[in-house]
C-alpha cells in the first residue's frame, strides 16, 4: 500500500536554500559598497588542498561624490571662512574697546586718588593750624576734650575703613565724665 510518502526524494537543506535566496536578493548591493582594498579569501581543507592559499579581490575605484555634495562642501567652506573673518574682526574690536575702557578707568582712578590726597593734605593742614593755635598748657580734666577735638565723630560706613564705633563711644564717655589722672 502506498501511503503517499515518497522517501526516495532527495532532501533539501533549509540553510542552503535560505542562503541561495538571500544571495539572489542582495546580488546588486555589492557593487554599491566600497569594499576594502584587499579582502583575504581563505581556501579550506574541503577544497581538496592541504595548502592555505590567499587570494585578493582587486579594489574597486571609490565612487565619485555627487555634484550637489561637492557644491555644498565648497559653500560650507566659504561660509566658515567668512564667519572666521567676522569673528576675528569682532575680537579685535572688543580688544580695542576693552583697552580704551581700561585706560579711562585708570585715568578716573588716578584723578580720584589725586583729589583724595589733596583733601587729606588740606584737612591735615587745618588740623595742624588749629592744634598749634590752641594753648599748649594742659589743664587737669581737659585731656579728653583735646583728644575728642582730634577725633572725627561722624560715623562713616566705609567698607575700606575699620569699625571704630567702640573707640568713639569710649572717648565720648570719657569726655563727658573725665577720669581724674593722678600725677606723680
Amino acid at each position: 500500500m502506498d501511503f503517499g510518502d515518497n522517501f526516495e526524494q532527495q532532501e533539501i537543506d533549509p540553510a542552503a536554500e535560505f542562503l541561495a535566496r538571500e544571495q539572489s536578493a542582495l546580488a546588486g548591493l555589492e557593487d554599491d559598497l566600497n569594499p576594502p582594498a584587499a579582502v583575504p579569501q581563505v581556501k579550506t581543507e574541503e577544497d581538496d588542498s592541504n595548502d592555505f592559499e590567499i587570494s585578493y579581490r582587486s579594489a574597486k575605484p571609490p565612487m565619485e561624490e555627487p555634484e550637489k555634495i561637492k557644491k555644498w562642501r565648497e559653500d560650507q567652506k566659504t561660509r566658515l571662512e567668512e564667519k572666521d573673518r567676522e569673528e576675528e574682526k569682532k575680537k579685535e574690536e572688543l580688544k580695542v574697546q576693552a583697552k580704551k575702557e581700561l585706560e579711562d578707568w585708570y585715568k578716573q582712578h588716578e584723578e580720584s586718588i589725586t583729589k583724595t590726597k589733596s583733601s587729606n593734605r588740606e584737612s591735615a593742614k587745618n588740623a595742624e593750624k588749629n592744634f598749634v593755635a590752641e594753648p599748649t598748657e594742659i589743664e587737669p580734666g581737659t585731656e579728653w576734650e583735646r583728644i575728642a577735638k582730634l577725633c572725627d565723630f561722624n560715623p562713616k560706613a566705609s567698607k575700606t575703613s575699620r569699625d571704630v564705633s567702640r573707640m568713639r563711644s569710649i572717648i565720648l564717655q570719657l569726655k563727658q565724665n573725665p577720669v581724674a589722672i593722678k600725677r606723680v
Side-chain angles (χ1 to χ4, degrees):
M1 252 176 102
D2 189 17
F3 293 105
D5 292 334
N6 188 2
F7 293 110
E8 294 177 13
Q9 193 178 16
Q10 292 182 345
E11 290 185 25
I12 300 173
D13 184 17
E17 183 183 356
F18 172 76
L19 288 175
R21 273 193 320 232
E22 290 299 313
Q23 284 179 350
S24 66
L26 300 174
L29 291 178
E30 212 173 67
D31 298 336
D32 294 343
L33 299 175
N34 290 332
V39 177
Q41 292 181 347
V42 180
K43 291 186 177 183
T44 60
E45 293 178 9
E46 296 171 0
D47 295 338
D48 295 328
S49 65
N50 291 334
D51 298 87
F52 292 103
E53 296 177 15
I54 300 175
S55 64
Y56 294 97
R57 287 192 293 173
S58 63
K60 294 180 183 178
M63 291 178 47
E64 211 172 296
E65 281 186 333
E67 189 64 32
K68 288 182 179 181
I69 294 177
K70 285 181 182 179
K71 184 179 179 187
W72 178 84
R73 285 187 196 277
E74 291 171 4
D75 291 344
Q76 185 69 9
K77 186 178 179 182
T78 56
R79 276 184 290 206
L80 290 175
E81 288 172 355
E82 181 64 30
K83 283 186 177 185
D84 287 344
R85 283 192 295 271
E86 288 176 11
E87 181 183 7
E88 287 297 320
K89 185 178 177 182
K90 287 180 182 180
K91 196 185 277 188
E92 288 300 319
E93 289 174 0
L94 286 175
K95 282 182 182 180
V96 169
Q97 182 182 357
K99 188 175 182 179
K100 183 181 181 288
E101 288 178 4
L102 190 60
E103 288 173 357
D104 291 344
W105 183 85
Y106 277 126
K107 185 178 178 182
Q108 184 182 11
H109 183 68
E110 189 65 34
E111 288 174 1
S112 68
I113 288 176
T114 305
K115 287 179 184 178
T116 304
K117 284 181 181 179
S118 64
S119 70
N120 286 347
R121 285 188 190 120
E122 288 297 319
S123 64
K125 285 181 185 178
N126 291 336
E128 186 179 350
K129 286 179 186 177
N130 292 339
F131 183 74
V132 172
E134 290 184 8
T136 57
E137 296 178 16
I138 300 175
E139 297 176 17
T142 61
E143 299 90 4
W144 292 112
E145 286 181 28
R146 291 187 68 182
I147 291 172
K149 287 180 185 177
L150 295 174
C151 294
D152 183 18
F153 287 105
N154 295 328
K156 296 179 182 174
S158 176
K159 293 181 181 179
T160 58
S161 64
R162 292 185 179 183
D163 183 22
V164 290
S165 59
R166 186 169 170 222
M167 181 192 74
R168 192 179 306 125
S169 66
I170 291 172
I171 291 175
L172 285 174
Q173 284 177 352
L174 289 172
K175 179 182 172 188
Q176 293 170 358
N177 302 321
V179 177
I181 299 174
K182 296 181 183 179
R183 294 192 177 183
V184 181

